[in-house]
Structures are given as C-alpha cells and as structure tokens.
Amino acid sequence: MKNFRWAEPQTMEQAVALLAKGEGKAYPMAGGTDIFTEIKEGVVEPEIVVDLSAIPGLSAVRKDKDGVRIGALTTVSDLAADAMIRQDYPGLSMAASSLATPQIRNVGTVGGNLCQRPRCWYYRDAQMVCRKKGGSQCFAAKGRNKYHAILGGGICHIVYPSDLAPMLIALGAQVTLVSPRGEKGLALADFYALPSKNVRRENVLATDELLREIRIPAAKKSAKSAYVKLKERETWDFALVSAAVQGTASGEGLSDPRIVLGGVAPIPWRLAKAEVSLQGKKLTTAVIKEALRSDLQEARPLQENGYKTALVEAAVSQALLSLV
Ligand SMILES: Cc1cc2nc3c(=O)[nH]c(=O)nc-3n(C[C@H](O)[C@H](O)[C@H](O)COP(=O)(O)OP(=O)(O)OC[C@H]3O[C@@H](n4cnc5c(N)ncnc54)[C@H](O)[C@@H]3O)c2cc1C
C-alpha cells in the first residue's frame, strides 16, 4: 500500500478546500468501510485522505416542515433504527436494515453508501486496467458477468451496489452538494451518471465536492413504501436485483407508483413505463408482469446474467403487492 497523508478538517469548508488542493489525489473518507478496501487493494492511491468524521452537525436525521433531512455522516444503523423513518418511510428502513452486516452498518454512513464505488471484480482487481481505470475495455463484456448489468451498460457493465440509492430515488430525495464554489441542490436521480457520460465515475460529484445532506419530501399520509432485495445467500450480500417502490394506496392499486431497481444497471434504474402503465390499476402478478414488459425489452443481458430479468419480475411484484 502506498503511503498517504491524513487530514481531519473541522468544517465542510476546510474539507472541500483540502480536496481542491489535492487536485484529484485527495479522497474523502466517512466510515471508511469501502474506501479502505480500495486503498488496501491498490485500486485507488490517494496522496491525502480527508477524514470527514470530525465535522459537526452531519450525523442526524431531522424532521422539518418540508420533510426529512439526513446528514451525510448518519450511520446506516441509525437510519435503520430511526422511529420516524420506520413509521413514515418504511421502505427506507428496510433498505438500510438489508445492507451489509451490523458491524458495517454501525460504521458505514449514508453519504458513503450513496458514493461507494462498484463491486465489479474486474474494477476491484488492481491488475485489471478496465475502462473505469483508464483502460480501453470492459472485461465483464465477454468475461465472467453473472453479477453485472442487464440495462444501461454499453461501454461498462458495472451495477451500482447501493441499497439506499434506489429507495431514496423512489422517495423523491434531493441531495445537497458542497464545493469551494458554494452549495447546490440536486435530485438524487440526477446525481448518478451512466458510463456513457463519464465511465470513470458513477456520479456527477466533482473531485472537490462533498455530499452534505439528503432531503426527502414529507410523506403523504396514505403513502407507502417497500424494499425487496434478492440475494444469492441469506447472510450479508449485495443485491442480485432489488426493487424500491413507493405509491399511494388507491383501491386495490396505487396512484403515482414509483419503481426503482438496484443491481441491474450502472445507476439506480427507474421503471418509468411500468409506473405509467400501473397507475391506479388493480395489482396482480400478471398485471405487474405485463406492465414490466416494455421496460424489460430494453434489457441487454450478457452471457451469464439473463436470469436477472426473471428476478426483476419477482422483486417488483413482491414489493408492489406488499403495498396493497
Ligand atoms: C462486507 C461488506 C458488505 C457490504 N454490503 C453492502 C450492501 O449489502 N449494500 C450496500 O449498499 N452497501 C454495502 N457495502 C458497502 C459500503 O461499505 C456501505 O454501504 C457503507 O455505507 C459505506 O459508507 P462509509 O461511510 O463506510 O463509506 P467510505 O468507505 O468512507 O466512503 C465510500 C466512498 O464514498 C466517498 N464518500 C464518503 N462520504 C462522502 C461524502 N459525504 N461526500 C462525497 N463522497 C463521500 C468516499 O470517498 C468513498 O469513495 C458493503 C461493504 C462491505 C465491506
């Protein structure tokens, strides 16, 4: 492992100034559960690690008149256990409880979860210079691709591994980003970027920019949400496919359903056509399967991951039917 310097800024302003000075060689660290693996394995080689943990005021879940504000340093276990989140946004609590192990949830943060790097085994192998690391090919395209993307891949077939991201997008979350140029708000859906936009990164964050806060709009009284995560094994694991859903109960169906998938694409993948098709309809497995057809027609499975389309049908059906 290459030596690096360590910084402990006390404010967000100091943190982004350190990142700016690092010119792409300074990396922020929150809980460290992902970035340290990357450093130890030589996938990234920072000159300076900027530890965010001493910055005050970033680790709380607060309700206000507009909804909920989640500080980027809130641990995943605090989010999962928050009584108000459980009550108003049960899908978010389910997503938070589903990820990793209790030890990682106790240390890992919400901001780190949303900014974590992909788990693709070619990306995580320092010897494999894939497109994400400046190379000219995606080794998964013709290699071992059981866990890779069936949608949105193109030049790079990673899947975005976060369990929180699909659920927060389904809930209409916004993020607040801070850089030396000031602060800006962005829909979380627009925070993520496909490989065709920038194959080296999974989001639009500049190298001197930090995620400070996540905001979720106030939950309507009759709104419901759920998260279904299908894994290869019962113990901790990343999603093969996950479905984050939210909607307002209306008869035996949902009005304004939102469906966002995890584990199938380089970014959380919204099923916009299915949402329109399911609007207000009585929900059955057959109706849901039919509604998914046009979105799934865009799927381009690789040699080993065609099974994911059936898992999408199963995860979305289970999640939506749990709401009615
Ligand atoms: C064994 C294991 C199992 C896991 N299982 C799952 C799983 O099932 N589901 C899942 O979703 N995740 C999983 N993870 C991934 C991840 O470690 C956790 O999700 C955790 O929440 C990451 O948070 P962190 O604070 O430790 O991130 P860190 O490791 O500190 O940071 C992760 C990345 O985000 C950047 N970053 C951190 N905070 C900010 C910020 N505020 N602004 C901008 N950039 C930032 C860092 O530079 C780094 O690139 C797993 C990890 C491990 C090791």
Side-chain angles (χ1 to χ4, degrees), residues 27-38 52 72 76 98-100 104 107-109 111-113 115-117 119 161-164 205 209-211 229 236-238:
Y27 284 63
M29 187 210 82
T33 61
D34 181 33
I35 185 122
F36 277 142
T37 317
E38 287 204 294
L52 307 177
V76 175
S98 80
L99 75 84
I104 287 167
V107 176
T109 65
N113 186 271
C115 298
Q116 64 178 292
R117 304 306 310 275
R119 310 305 295 192
S162 166
D163 284 303
L164 299 182
L205 211 56
E209 207 163 28
L210 286 170
L211 196 162
K229 175 174 178 178
W236 75 264
D237 209 351
F238 289 89

Side-chain angles (χ1 to χ4, degrees), residues 93-111:
S93 199
M94 289 160 131
S97 311
S98 80
L99 75 84
T101 61
Q103 291 89 337
I104 287 167
R105 294 197 291 272
N106 282 343
V107 176
T109 65
V110 176

Side-chain angles (χ1 to χ4, degrees), residues 236-255:
W236 75 264
D237 209 351
F238 289 89
L240 292 173
V241 168
S242 67
V245 298
Q246 99 117 25
T248 309
S250 147
E252 290 175 83
L254 294 171
S255 65

Side-chain angles (χ1 to χ4, degrees), residues 36-282:
F36 277 142
T37 317
E38 287 204 294
I39 296 173
K40 282 190 285 186
E41 289 172 358
V43 179
V44 295
E45 295 190 326
E47 276 171 14
I48 174 163
V49 171
V50 179
D51 176 7
L52 307 177
S53 61
I55 302 175
L58 295 180
S59 52
V61 179
R62 294 190 198 94
K63 197 171 181 172
D64 66 16
K65 64 176 179 22
D66 299 319
V68 173
R69 299 160 67 144
I70 303 166
L73 294 183
T74 306
T75 63
V76 175
S77 54
D78 280 350
L79 180 69
D82 189 278
M84 180 269 298
I85 295 288
R86 276 191 186 181
Q87 168 76 30
D88 294 352
Y89 309 95
L92 184 56
S93 199
M94 289 160 131
S97 311
S98 80
L99 75 84
T101 61
Q103 291 89 337
I104 287 167
R105 294 197 291 272
N106 282 343
V107 176
T109 65
V110 176
N113 186 271
L114 297 179
C115 298
Q116 64 178 292
R117 304 306 310 275
R119 310 305 295 192
C120 168
W121 39 39
Y122 298 111
Y123 166 72
R124 293 271 166 172
D125 183 338
Q127 309 297 317
M128 305 294 289
V129 186
C130 70
R131 283 215 169 99
K132 282 222 153 283
K133 290 177 279 187
S136 58
Q137 60 174 311
C138 170
F139 297 104
K142 295 205 168 116
R144 304 311 307 264
N145 46 41
K146 179 178 176 184
Y147 301 114
H148 289 76
I150 57 169
L151 284 154
I155 58 167
C156 163
H157 296 87
I158 61 144
V159 294
Y160 199 66
S162 166
D163 284 303
L164 299 182
M167 194 66 240
L168 285 165
I169 291 173
L171 294 171
Q174 302 264 324
V175 285
T176 307
L177 308 181
V178 181
S179 76
R181 298 165 295 288
E183 193 174 291
K184 68 180 180 199
L186 191 68
L188 180 59
D190 298 330
F191 177 71
Y192 292 105
L194 279 170
S196 53
K197 187 161 181 186
N198 178 3
V199 72
R200 302 293 295 269
R201 305 289 308 176
E202 298 76 51
N203 57 47
V204 297
L205 211 56
T207 50
D208 62 354
E209 207 163 28
L210 286 170
L211 196 162
R212 199 193 69 192
E213 184 177 75
I214 300 99
R215 288 169 177 248
I216 316 175
K220 284 190 200 152
K221 261 215 166 83
S222 47
K224 295 177 167 185
S225 60
Y227 187 69
V228 168
K229 175 174 178 178
L230 301 181
K231 304 183 292 182
E232 197 165 36
R233 49 189 206 157
E234 276 305 304
T235 182
W236 75 264
D237 209 351
F238 289 89
L240 292 173
V241 168
S242 67
V245 298
Q246 99 117 25
T248 309
S250 147
E252 290 175 83
L254 294 171
S255 65
D256 301 326
R258 278 201 215 127
I259 311 166
V260 186
L261 301 178
V264 297
I267 59 174
W269 198 260
R270 190 155 173 190
L271 297 181
K273 292 177 191 149
E275 290 175 2
V276 173
S277 158
L278 289 170
Q279 169 74 21
K281 263 191 201 153
K282 179 179 172 185

